[in-house]
Amino acid sequence: MIFELAAFGIITGFISGFFGVGGGMILVPMLLLAGFVMKEAVAISIMQMVFSSIYGTFLNAKKTKNIIKDGLIIGLGGFFGGLQSGFIVSNVSNITLQYVFLGILVYSIISIFRSPAQNEEENKKQSNKLALFFIGSIIGVTAMSIGVGGSIMLTPLLVRFLNYDLKQATALGLFFVIFSSIAGFTSLSLNGHMLYSEGATIGIASLIGVYFGIKVKNNTLSTSY
């Protein structure tokens, strides 16, 4: 099982680095197919995100300098929301979490494909700090409760409504996942749901995938996404 989990980590890390997402959208289904129940898959996925998002943001550092202010506000919102995830996971059934996961997956895929890869406007719209915090909070609690990073929901909003291009949005999305995943990890640990050994195995392996995912992304045109 350890080699299977490591393979899951490399695949998830690559997707996380390339698309700027937490990787849960691909990792959770793989874990379910491997025999884990939904709540276990959520816990493992969140621990993996802590590894991949911190490392991915470090590699993306140059691209996040000009969006750090919005990133911090949305990230703090995501942290606040993520702290509520342990309560949600403890009080909602596995099957309900799976249905929510499926709904978010379908919505996010549609939103991503409807978002433009590049924006013609040079300046981003002025962002309302309270609105950014609120958006981060809602995405944080929802995402952490189903084991995804939240950036797959956040990225379309950044592109369509705040005029970020897709590469900037994916970099900011990965930055957001740091806050939400650390909060989710803390909350699920305090509520007794975390699977540390499985999460660490996938998390460490994901660092390899993140490195190559970001390397490929940096050599890919935004319009090719």
Side-chain angles (χ1 to χ4, degrees):
M1 176 60 77
I2 188 170
F3 294 107
E4 186 177 8
L5 292 177
F8 288 172
I10 293 172
I11 294 169
T12 303
F14 182 88
I15 293 171
S16 177
F18 186 79
F19 290 105
V21 299
M25 288 294 186
I26 185 67
L27 179 58
V28 169
M30 288 194 295
L31 291 171
L32 292 175
L33 289 173
F36 292 94
V37 299
M38 185 63 184
K39 292 184 181 182
E40 293 173 336
V42 168
I44 295 171
S45 180
I46 289 175
M47 189 168 181
Q48 176 273 325
M49 289 176 212
V50 176
F51 285 84
S52 63
S53 62
I54 292 174
Y55 184 56
T57 299
F58 171 75
L59 295 178
N60 270 319
K62 292 183 179 179
K63 292 182 175 58
T64 56
K65 286 181 180 179
N66 61 332
I67 52 177
I68 194 72
K69 181 185 285 188
D70 285 356
L72 285 173
I73 297 169
I74 297 175
L76 289 174
F79 187 87
F80 175 78
L83 287 176
Q84 320 309 314
S85 60
F87 174 81
I88 301 296
V89 171
S90 296
N91 291 281
V92 176
S93 68
N94 281 302
I95 190 66
T96 300
L97 292 175
Q98 285 181 235
Y99 280 126
V100 174
F101 176 89
L102 182 60
I104 295 295
L105 176 61
V106 172
Y107 168 78
S108 299
I109 290 173
I110 294 172
S111 297
I112 284 287
F113 280 102
R114 292 181 63 185
S115 299
Q118 294 178 318
N119 280 294
E120 296 180 359
E121 298 181 35
E122 292 183 4
N123 297 318
K124 293 180 283 295
K125 297 176 183 176
Q126 290 295 319
S127 303
N128 182 291
K129 292 181 175 60
L130 184 60
L132 289 175
F133 183 87
F134 179 75
I135 290 170
S137 299
I138 296 300
I139 293 177
V141 66
T142 304
M144 290 300 101
S145 297
I146 58 173
V148 300
S151 60
I152 198 166
M153 293 180 275
L154 178 62
T155 297
L157 296 177
L158 295 174
V159 174
R160 296 177 66 184
F161 301 112
L162 297 182
N163 296 328
Y164 286 100
D165 67 38
L166 192 54
K167 283 192 176 182
Q168 284 184 320
T170 55
L172 181 54
L174 202 58
F175 184 68
F176 167 84
V177 176
I178 293 178
F179 291 85
S180 60
S181 63
I182 289 176
F185 173 81
T186 302
S187 186
L188 265 70
S189 295
L190 291 174
N191 284 274
H193 294 293
M194 189 54 59
L195 279 72
Y196 297 100
S197 60
E198 293 87 346
T201 299
I202 291 180
I204 292 171
S206 73
L207 301 183
I208 300 172
V210 169
Y211 174 81
F212 286 104
I214 290 178
K215 194 175 183 66
V216 172
K217 182 185 76 171
N218 289 338
N219 292 307
T220 303
L221 295 174
S222 293
T223 52
S224 299
Y225 270 56

